[in-house]
Amino acid sequence: MESANHLDHQEYGAIERAPLPRNMIENSMFEEEPDVVDLAKESPSYPIDSDDVVYEPRTSRLLVRGLGENDLDEDEEDYESSARLLGMSFMNRSSNQRSASSSYTRHQPSGSCSKPSAKTMVVGVLILVVLVSLFMVIYFVPGCTFTRSCPKTNSTMERIAPISTSGELFPWTELRLPSSVHPVHYDISLHPDLNRMTFQGSVSIKVEVLHETKIIVLHSSDMNITKATFQGKVVHVLEYKPWQQIAIKFPEDLEKGPYVLNLDYTANFSNSYDGFYNSSYVDTTGTKRVLAATQFEPLAARKAFPCFDEPAFKSTFLIKITRESKYISLSNMPKVKTTDLKNDLQEDEFKESDIMSTYLVAFIVAEFSSYSTTVSNTTVSVYAVPDKKEQVHYALEAAAKLLKFYNKFFEIDYPLSKLDLVAIPDFLAGAMENWGLITFRETTLLVGNNSSPIDKQLVTSVIAHELAHQWFGNLVTMRWWNDLWLNEGFATYMQYLSIDTVFPDLDIDTEFLNVRFKALAKDALNSSHPVSTLVSTPEQVEEMFDSVSYEKGASILLMLNATLKDGEFRKGVIEYLQKYNRSNTESEDLWNSLSQVSKQNVSVSEMMNTWTVHKGFPLVTVKRNGTQVTLSQEHFLLNAENCTDNSLWHIPLTFVNDSCSVLSSCKQVFHLKDKTAILKLPGPVKWLKFNFRSDGFYIVHYDVEGWRALIDALNVDVNVLPYEDRAALINNLFALSRLGKVSFRQVLNLMEYIRNETETAPLTEALSQLGQIYRLLDKRSELNLASRMTSYIDDHFGSLMESQSWKLEISVSKMTLRSALLEMACSLNRLNCTTQAKHLFDQWVNSNKTFQIPSDLMRTVFKVAALTDDGWDVLLNSYKHSIYDSEKRKTLEALASTQDVRKIIWILQKSLDGSEIQTQEFPLVIHTICKNFAGYLYAWDFLKENWEKITQKFPVGSFAIQSIIMSATSQFSTKTHLMEAQNFFSSLGAKGSQMRIVQEATETIKQNMRWMESNLGTLQHWL
């Protein structure tokens, strides 16, 4: 699955780089905003009903400019007073009169608790011990005495004793289903009613009893089961809703062998983006259209039909769908027949499927149009709503080329006779790899006539990712979600490998480099997790869909491929797919397959296990004394906090030196397995550069002389190293500064070479890192330093900004660079940039929107325009009526970049309730608003006050929730905001407060605080 917010790139330690990935949808690397003006008091030019702004902001907005939470009475903490405070702060932000504010402080309550006496404490403790002991005796030895032994029973069940909805004891006490019964085949009949937003269904499940048992347990969620029969006899169904399980108990053991379970049921369409859910859109005639679609990964097939909803329970499926004649229906397999029924209904029957997991089942009922082509024996089709039918041609061409590539690369042809790619108007994930019926966001599949190569890069990446899943995930599936990376890491790596071969003009290597930097940033935190890690609860499963499973998984596969020789990686992959065809696997199965074909003097399994069982990655320190190099490794951990970690990685270190440093043939390899090792060079060198082209998943630190030699070499000739290495030096040095290994002065020393840099990757990495620091300074109201950072960026990048063209461009690399440069320039209010942007916007408006703004500059132009009321209104109208989704997304980002508080509140409300803006875009809206000083505290308060509504729309632990939380908190850097975040998350209860992303958020705030405290002095002295 291509996670929609996963398409977002996150910067080191806190701030997101270009969101969902390459992999995602947004390219928001450098979205700094101009100085905020006093817009809070101005009336909006668009109509806002009074109901639209009923919003009670709480304390965090009162923290602006150093106000403590308790500096105002509670009755002053209303919308108007907060807006006035924020308005006053805006006026104080004139570029010529900025001053640093006082630090935030949280006032302690004046009252204090009296200390109990020692006698009282002792008595209290004794009473507590007695009560606890009595409880343990009652709880653990029911029906037993100390002189009589207990009967042998299922003690686990007795202790937990889940109670079904009927009040009876539920016969199963585990989240995972028992292994005694396996499904073999499902016959599913569905009748969705798109008028009443309900559906009814029946499922006949052929099961195989593998071990004698008295129970059958499977999954069902939010269904009303109206009838159940087993072997033709009516049976009673028990339901335990907390675990989404149903069970049937039998008086005698079922013997081994085949049986049939039939279940009839009714249900409402899901009100979120998973399960069988309804969607709607308004076509160009103003008519509202409805449709129904599915999203089952990871745990939502159980919302559409009762099933054994775990990846290892593979089965075949035969699906029938009853629909109105005006609709079409699609499923995983080709349609074999349609039967006319009464009341203008028709029933479509689809061919029996290949054996697959439940999360890959899919069906759609909608009014769609399509174009098709044929690749080998497979019919490839791309579907969209009729208004957008002509936007499918690029996707069809790209899918055909990529399918040919994968058929050849894997030496196993795609096994199904058809492959549908469908653009869903309302879809949360970036895409979903359902076997034979891949579903997409419209943004990630459709390409309009004015789309740029960057837009095509995104669409191609997502298609390549999902097609790779047809082998990695569908043909061979991980046994359980702890090894999700076998699906997502491989699909992510293959998307870059395939595009680099099939579409070399899309410059995907630079994008993959940024993705690896993102993975390092995520994995540098203590809240990270191993690539393969234990998960059990639904929330833990949802949390596995993150940067570690996707980007880190892809990164370690790149490192392995770069280590093996003579095509051994591909040979091992083919061996793996052939051996485990249509089966379930674990990580060790992949390593064993690669080990069997490898002729290297290295155990693939031994080496790669160190990268999947340990969280984080190593910091390699290099100290050279003549021809002797001392190498050491340690866990790169930004927030150790007295954490002791003795993890060791088997690192295939690569390095080059001054005599040969650019060509791949220059690369040398040294395997570092121990804490320290000595590398002896054959002769003297001026410098060494480790981690050639950043193919390895580690960061390198050099001694003082090592850094000096590299910086000097770059100052003499920037091309002495490949662009990937130059970008990695920038990335690594900023990271080492955050770790406290180097001073920020050393970072600035390296940055001096940047004036001579011309390549996209190092320039955009430098801009990203500096932009992050600028935003932190801005949010802390370190206004003098923020102004000086602006001057620093102008001094180092200004001439390059001025030289950028505003005309159409075809080079992806050039477009990526100029988009970053000009977005930064306009956000820092460079006059030439804003003037050019306004000029292009005026041409666009005056031509009735027929003038073509270069697609890569559209967001920059629209953001400048959105700063005025007239421009914002024009963009809102355009957003409502455009049929080009890439343009709509950029327009939405511009709308959310407004500095008008009332517009900010309006757009937050409308994107959450879905009335004016699709709810699927709420994470993007939060992300964009939180980048700007004007709205980030409002967004934080909105999140807190609407948490229940948000978690009804987006599952707890999902990537959307992860993105929302990090967007809202990642730029906090004060103790007050840390305490406020901790208090809020701890109030959410077990599910919310225990999310890994909550730990990441608080850890990020602490890291921001430490970095600012350590480096403010350096910034004041050197900027």
Side-chain angles (χ1 to χ4, degrees), residues 115-373:
K115 185 176 181 180
S117 66
K119 181 178 180 181
T120 301
M121 292 179 66
V122 170
V123 172
V125 169
L126 288 173
I127 293 173
L128 182 62
V129 169
V130 171
L131 289 173
V132 170
S133 301
L134 182 61
F135 173 80
M136 292 177 67
V137 170
I138 295 172
Y139 188 76
F140 287 105
V141 288
C144 312
T145 69
F146 293 107
T147 58
R148 179 169 56 87
S149 63
C150 298
K152 293 182 179 181
T153 62
N154 187 335
S155 60
T156 303
M157 183 168 65
E158 285 189 6
R159 290 180 207 169
I160 299 177
I163 303 300
S164 65
T165 53
S166 64
E168 301 171 65
L169 189 68
F170 194 77
W172 185 246
T173 60
E174 306 288 340
L175 278 168
R176 299 281 296 274
L177 298 181
S179 59
S180 54
V181 179
H182 276 230
V184 176
H185 175 77
Y186 293 80
D187 281 308
I188 302 169
S189 294
L190 292 163
H191 181 192
D193 187 335
L194 295 177
N195 298 311
R196 298 179 181 178
M197 298 303 163
T198 62
F199 65 96
Q200 59 186 17
S202 65
V203 59
S204 176
I205 311 175
K206 295 178 182 178
V207 299
E208 186 78 19
V209 174
L210 304 179
H211 309 286
E212 291 185 355
T213 180
K214 290 183 179 180
I215 60 172
I216 294 178
V217 185
L218 62 160
H219 291 108
S220 174
S221 177
D222 300 325
M223 291 181 187
N224 175 32
I225 295 178
T226 57
K227 183 180 180 181
T229 64
F230 184 76
Q231 295 295 93
K233 296 180 180 180
V234 175
V235 291
H236 178 52
V237 176
L238 300 175
E239 180 178 17
Y240 186 55
K241 287 188 175 182
W243 291 349
Q244 301 176 342
Q245 292 176 355
I246 57 174
I248 300 163
K249 293 194 296 186
F250 301 93
E252 303 293 335
D253 279 340
L254 296 175
E255 297 181 355
K256 296 179 183 180
Y259 298 86
V260 177
L261 171 65
N262 293 294
L263 298 163
D264 296 339
Y265 59 95
T266 61
N268 295 321
F269 284 124
S270 172
N271 58 7
S272 59
Y273 289 100
D274 61 358
F276 194 16
Y277 72 94
N278 67 287
S279 173
S280 65
Y281 65 96
V282 177
D283 66 18
T284 53
T285 68
T287 304
K288 181 179 179 180
R289 305 288 182 178
V290 295
L291 60 96
T294 58
Q295 170 59 45
F296 290 162
E297 188 178 30
L299 308 171
R302 63 194 69 175
K303 291 186 175 183
F305 57 97
C307 57
F308 296 78
D309 201 11
E310 294 180 7
F313 289 116
K314 287 193 169 187
S315 185
T316 57
F317 299 82
L318 192 151
I319 295 172
K320 298 178 182 179
I321 297 178
T322 300
R323 56 173 173 80
E324 293 180 46
S325 60
K326 67 179 180 179
Y327 296 110
I328 66 167
S329 69
L330 300 170
S331 189
N332 304 83
M333 303 300 292
K335 184 170 62 175
V336 293
K337 70 175 180 178
T338 297
T339 304
D340 291 327
L341 307 176
K342 58 184 178 180
N343 299 324
D344 194 34
L345 297 177
Q346 294 178 317
E347 182 187 69
D348 294 330
E349 180 178 335
F350 299 89
K351 181 181 177 182
E352 181 176 317
S353 75
D354 209 319
I355 185 171
M356 61 183 180
S357 304
T358 49
Y359 78 86
L360 294 171
V361 175
F363 30 85
I364 296 169
V365 177
E367 298 173 82
F368 283 161
S369 300
S370 67
Y371 283 102
S372 302
T373 190

Side-chain angles (χ1 to χ4, degrees), residues 3-5 273 277 426-430 441 919-920 923 953-955 960:
S3 168
N5 291 348
Y273 289 100
Y277 72 94
D426 208 15
F427 193 74
L428 182 60
R441 275 196 182 195
T919 302
Q920 69 181 26
K953 302 282 188 180
F954 310 105

